Amino acid sequence: MKKKLSVIFALVACVFAFASCGSTDNSTYGGRTTKELEAESENLASQVVSLSESDLKQYYESYQKQAKADPDNDDYKMYETMFQNFVENQPGLGAFVNYTGFKVDKAGKNITTTLTMKYEKRDATLVMVYKSYNMSKPTSINFNPVYSLGETMGKAALNVVMGMVTVFAVLILISLVIYCFNVIPYLQKKFAAKKAPGAGAEVVRSIKRRY
């Protein structure tokens, strides 16, 4: 009996040991830990959040000009997109509150970090994508509001309705064009019929003049 109890306690201890090991994320991605990536995301987010709307617009316009002047520089385009996202989305979110979550996803050579940011009206995410062979800087940065399932479904339904309306409008237009092809020969015959008597009368007049 004592041996059975000792075995059970040993199994329970092993389960707790595995659980405690799993609760700490010590994963590394291209030599960088999850904590380092989280700190980098929060640092960037804090700097951008502290900017006023006018400053955000100035940064966006500045990177937009630089991206046009030097289209081969991917960094200019990346920051242009990021500041554009903040300019378009942040005003409708309200005041920034805090950070509520962070995760890292790996898909092939891409490492994607997602920092969840809590605002007064709705949450938003700062998404940064890295290449596993070069984790020194991201290749893209996006800032997006988080929509509820109902809002997402509503937008999807609206897109479906708009798509159906567009398809039916095009089909009606095509039907009208096809119908016009049937009407055109009829109009041509009618026009020719009106013109024919005049031409015949002219021929008769010319014959009468001769005789």
Side-chain angles (χ1 to χ4, degrees):
M1 186 67 179
K2 290 182 179 180
K3 288 184 178 180
K4 289 182 178 180
L5 289 174
S6 62
V7 171
I8 292 172
F9 281 122
L11 289 173
V12 171
C14 288
V15 170
F16 278 109
F18 281 118
S20 61
C21 290
S23 62
T24 303
D25 190 355
N26 294 320
S27 303
T28 58
Y29 302 91
R32 301 188 65 184
T33 65
T34 303
K35 289 294 182 183
E36 289 175 346
L37 294 172
E38 182 178 5
E40 182 172 350
S41 293
E42 290 186 1
N43 182 46
L44 176 60
S46 299
Q47 292 182 39
V48 179
V49 167
S50 64
L51 297 174
S52 64
E53 288 187 27
S54 59
D55 289 337
L56 284 173
K57 289 180 181 179
Q58 287 180 3
Y59 274 105
Y60 166 56
E61 292 171 357
S62 175
Y63 278 109
Q64 188 179 41
K65 290 178 181 178
Q66 293 180 76
K68 288 181 179 179
D70 188 4
D72 295 330
N73 192 320
D74 294 333
D75 288 348
Y76 291 151
K77 186 62 181 176
M78 177 180 69
Y79 285 113
E80 177 198 351
T81 301
M82 183 193 75
F83 280 108
Q84 182 181 10
N85 292 159
F86 273 95
V87 167
E88 293 177 351
N89 298 314
Q90 188 168 254
L93 300 176
F96 172 71
V97 180
N98 57 18
Y99 306 110
T100 58
F102 181 79
K103 66 175 183 176
V104 183
D105 298 307
K106 183 176 182 181
K109 295 181 180 180
N110 291 328
I111 307 295
T112 304
T113 66
T114 305
L115 176 67
T116 304
M117 305 169 64
K118 183 175 181 59
Y119 285 81
E120 284 181 334
K121 297 181 181 180
R122 71 167 70 246
D123 292 351
T125 56
L126 181 68
V127 181
M128 303 172 69
V129 180
Y130 300 81
K131 294 297 182 182
S132 58
Y133 52 82
N134 182 16
M135 296 291 292
S136 59
K137 62 178 183 178
T139 57
S140 70
I141 305 173
N142 290 283
F143 175 77
N144 305 302
V146 176
Y147 296 101
S148 65
L149 180 61
E151 290 172 323
T152 304
M153 294 297 292
K155 287 186 176 182
L158 181 61
N159 290 335
V160 170
V161 172
M162 291 298 293
M164 291 178 65
V165 170
T166 303
V167 169
F168 279 110
V170 172
L171 289 174
I172 291 171
L173 182 61
I174 292 173
S175 300
L176 291 173
V177 172
I178 293 173
Y179 179 75
C180 288
F181 281 115
N182 295 327
V183 173
I184 289 172
Y186 170 77
L187 294 175
Q188 287 177 335
K189 288 180 181 179
K190 193 172 183 181
F191 182 75
K194 285 183 179 180
K195 200 172 181 181
E202 187 66 30
V203 171
V204 172
R205 289 194 196 97
S206 63
I207 293 172
K208 287 182 178 179
R209 289 193 196 102
R210 291 178 182 178
Y211 296 99

